[in-house]
Amino acid sequence: MSTPVRVRFAPSPTGFLHVGGARTALFNWLHARHTGGTFVLRIEDTDRERHNEEAVRAIYHGLRWLGLDWDEGAEKGGDFGPYYQSERGPIYERYLGILQDKGMIYEDAGALRFRSPRETVTVHDEVCGSIPFDLSNPGTHPDMTVRRPDGSWIFHFVNVVDDIEMKISHVIRGEDHLSNTPKHVELYKAFGVEPPRFAHIPLILNPDGSKMSKRDTGASVQSYIQQGYAPEAVRNYLCLLGWSPKDNREILPIEEIISLFELKNINRRSAGFDLDKCFWMNGQYLIQMPLERFTDLSLPFINAAGINYGTREGLVPVLALVKEKVKHLTDVPAWIEFFFNDDYTYDEASVEKSLRTEGALGRLQALGAHLANVEPWTAETIEAAFKDLAAALGVKTALLVHPARVAATGRSVGPSLYHLLELLGRERVLARFDRTREKFFP
RNA sequence: GGCGCGCUCGUCUAGAGGCCUAGGACACAGCCCUCUCAAGGCUGGUACACGGGUUCGAAUCCCGUGCGCGCUGCCA
């Protein structure tokens, strides 16, 4: 008979969600979703001192942003609560009593220690295989402390107690815990409980190979939220750190990853975090995602920039135009600003290059006159008008395009000019041409 | 120091004895496309840490060495 799959993510409230932690949560979530199991969120604030609402909220926020919903646990409830260690004192007391009754606990300078049986313990790991650890030498493997003199609990003890109480079937965590695992197994044995299956996943390193920690660039999930990444892109990228579908695909829908994900296919080597690739993947997601989704994700940044776009109906076509240019959602305001502001600013270098050159003013005026007669006003007819005029003037189309773009948008880069002019509308285009002429050639 | 884990292009990876003169992706370079910038397409360079085995044959198995990381806490 197989026990139901129950996995957990058990972060300590440090104030933010680390990408390494996010990836651990992700792998737990994937395993739960793949097997139809339960994903539990437990907060490891071993005591009141560590309990910090704000820090805990940062974790919820990061997980939710990544779409890692938990079935049971903090803020959600369930049959195995409470899900904050700071509230589980009585349970730990009870378990301590079990070991005390068996004579496995002794006092040392006020702290309580667990007396190791001093045997060889073999850890069976889904990712790393079976590894024997010789714990017979007290010099190298001292008896672990389970409770401090002030009554607060030590991680190893409460972690094991909670996993037993919450009926966790698979412990999926960072490889930094692999060497701690034999100690945990000793505890399971002492409680007379079969240990869960373990799966230690490789660590995420900095590009230079050092361990990624708080201050490192890109270490906090929050930074991806702020920099305008799409959550599905970051999540997809994280999936590829230590796992792969093995068929050369990299961008794949989460539903498919869920169906393909197996603990056995997780790599054993640690992975360097490649911000360039994450950035590239974000651009790919942005280009491919539906316009409505793109709009939803862009809105917070547009609002933060204070752009007065009127209605969503008016905004969407503009976003459709610039969508393919965007690599970070934070770039959206800069791409669309000129559209909603007739008093847009001009990029000086672009003005210099495209407008203050021989014949540019004359071409712009001729273009204005030419565009005044285009019917109907569509990207196709506008394009034809540009080409016709260029031919008539005996110049390359580019010599009309560049001045027109700078005149209409203030910049030299942007999406397809013809589509942009169409959307802007003839009146505004011609008015912008006039404004530009008056401003630079009074 | 001890113990553990790891070691394929700069990075993420495919590879589970012959399919590998090692494949894909990011990044990089060049070319093409083109109204700009991107995107896209094409091409190119760069990798099995080292040394011994085992085998007809090893990136793949074994043993050393080296390097990296982790643990070794009354941190989690």
Side-chain angles (χ1 to χ4, degrees):
Chain A
M1 72 163 238
S2 60
T3 54
V5 169
R6 290 176 55 82
V7 296
R8 52 37 169 207
F9 176 53
S12 170
T14 53
F16 73 117
L17 183 59
H18 186 273
V19 288
R23 204 274 242 96
T24 299
L26 172 63
F27 280 18
N28 273 284
W29 180 84
L30 285 170
H31 188 245
R33 295 294 169 263
H34 176 79
T35 57
T38 303
F39 179 44
V40 180
L41 176 63
R42 177 175 79 225
I43 301 299
E44 301 219 330
D45 51 347
T46 47
D47 57 76
R48 294 265 171 223
E49 303 299 304
R50 287 178 190 282
H51 185 79
N52 178 323
E53 268 310 312
E54 199 182 330
V56 168
R57 253 195 294 278
I59 290 169
Y60 299 153
H61 185 234
L63 290 175
R64 289 194 172 117
W65 183 75
L66 284 168
L68 305 182
D69 54 313
W70 54 101
D71 308 301
E72 188 182 310
E75 281 220 325
K76 180 100 185 179
D79 298 335
F80 302 89
Y83 294 93
Y84 293 85
Q85 289 187 330
S86 57
E87 298 172 11
R88 297 175 62 81
I91 296 168
Y92 305 140
E93 296 288 353
R94 198 173 87 234
Y95 272 76
L96 178 67
I98 294 173
L99 297 187
Q100 284 174 321
D101 289 348
K102 294 185 179 181
M104 298 170 123
I105 297 292
Y106 65 93
E107 190 169 338
D108 172 25
L112 298 183
R113 288 183 184 274
F114 169 75
R115 195 187 314 280
S116 168
R118 306 248 155 261
E119 296 167 339
T120 289
V121 172
T122 298
V123 172
H124 302 284
D125 191 278
E126 303 282 314
V127 176
C128 304
S130 292
I131 307 160
F133 289 86
D134 179 3
L135 306 186
S136 63
N137 183 350
T140 54
H141 297 276
D143 289 337
M144 74 179 115
T145 305
V146 297
R147 199 174 74 174
R148 299 186 189 86
D150 69 358
S152 60
W153 302 93
I154 299 298
F155 158 76
H156 303 294
F157 180 77
V158 294
N159 182 271
V160 166
V161 170
D162 287 344
D163 284 342
I164 292 171
E165 277 287 294
M166 295 181 184
K167 298 194 166 17
I168 298 303
S169 64
H170 298 251
V171 170
I172 304 168
R173 62 190 0 172
E175 199 196 86
D176 48 343
H177 286 298
L178 183 57
S179 297
N180 289 147
T181 305
K183 285 195 285 202
H184 298 178
V185 172
E186 285 186 322
L187 249 17
Y188 282 101
K189 286 185 175 169
F191 287 123
V193 172
E194 183 70 18
R197 319 284 309 198
F198 291 100
H200 286 92
I201 66 181
L203 266 19
I204 296 180
L205 273 25
N206 281 316
D208 68 0
S210 60
K211 186 182 178 184
M212 201 179 224
S213 60
K214 294 192 183 194
R215 298 182 193 290
D216 295 310
T217 321
S220 166
V221 170
Q222 188 64 27
S223 71
Y224 298 89
I225 301 176
Q226 287 165 350
Q227 288 168 47
Y229 279 81
E232 50 269 54
V234 176
R235 183 175 59 192
N236 191 150
Y237 177 72
L238 253 21
C239 286
L240 263 23
L241 253 26
W243 178 87
S244 107
K246 299 187 186 298
D247 58 5
N248 285 342
R249 285 183 306 162
E250 303 208 301
I251 294 182
L252 52 176
I254 195 67
E255 293 76 20
E256 195 159 356
I257 293 177
I258 288 170
S259 75
L260 293 172
F261 186 82
E262 298 276 357
L263 292 179
K264 290 166 185 54
N265 290 334
I266 295 175
N267 270 165
R268 298 169 72 161
R269 54 180 302 208
S270 24
F273 193 92
D274 186 353
L275 205 51
D276 280 340
K277 189 155 184 175
C278 188
F279 174 76
W280 165 80
M281 193 166 280
N282 191 53
Q284 293 293 307
Y285 266 89
L286 256 21
I287 285 173
Q288 291 165 18
M289 74 173 52
L291 186 55
E292 285 301 313
R293 171 71 175 156
F294 182 75
T295 303
D296 290 340
L297 290 177
S298 297
L299 240 21
F301 295 94
I302 294 170
N303 289 329
I307 292 176
N308 186 11
Y309 58 87
T311 63
R312 183 176 172 115
E313 288 63 40
L315 173 64
V316 169
V318 179
L319 291 180
L321 204 58
V322 304
K323 182 166 172 278
E324 62 179 35
K325 321 295 300 177
V326 177
K327 304 300 277 296
H328 274 153
L329 261 3
T330 43
D331 299 335
V332 171
W335 283 113
I336 67 171
E337 197 273 343
F338 74 86
F339 201 94
F340 298 104
N341 176 14
D342 288 326
D343 193 29
Y344 53 93
T345 57
Y346 292 83
D347 171 59
E348 197 43 51
S350 301
V351 169
E352 208 55 45
K353 191 177 173 204
S354 299
L355 289 178
R356 289 197 219 272
T357 53
E358 187 66 35
L361 174 63
R363 291 196 301 276
L364 188 61
Q365 286 186 303
L367 184 62
H370 202 61
L371 292 177
N373 298 316
V374 168
E375 273 313 328
W377 182 257
T378 68
E380 292 70 35
T381 56
I382 294 167
E383 177 169 4
F386 268 75
K387 299 233 160 109
D388 289 348
L389 182 59
L393 295 177
V395 297
K396 286 181 162 183
T397 314
L399 283 179
L400 293 177
V401 166
H402 298 318
R405 184 187 295 282
V406 177
T409 71
R411 333 175 36 173
S412 56
V413 298
S416 163
L417 181 68
Y418 309 125
H419 292 86
L420 186 146
L421 295 185
E422 176 192 323
L423 194 57
L424 216 38
R426 189 202 319 263
E427 301 226 338
R428 291 177 79 194
V429 170
L430 297 184
R432 287 178 177 211
F433 281 13
D434 287 344
R435 174 191 187 234
T436 302
R437 181 169 44 72
E438 284 160 16
K439 190 173 174 73
F440 297 103
F441 306 96

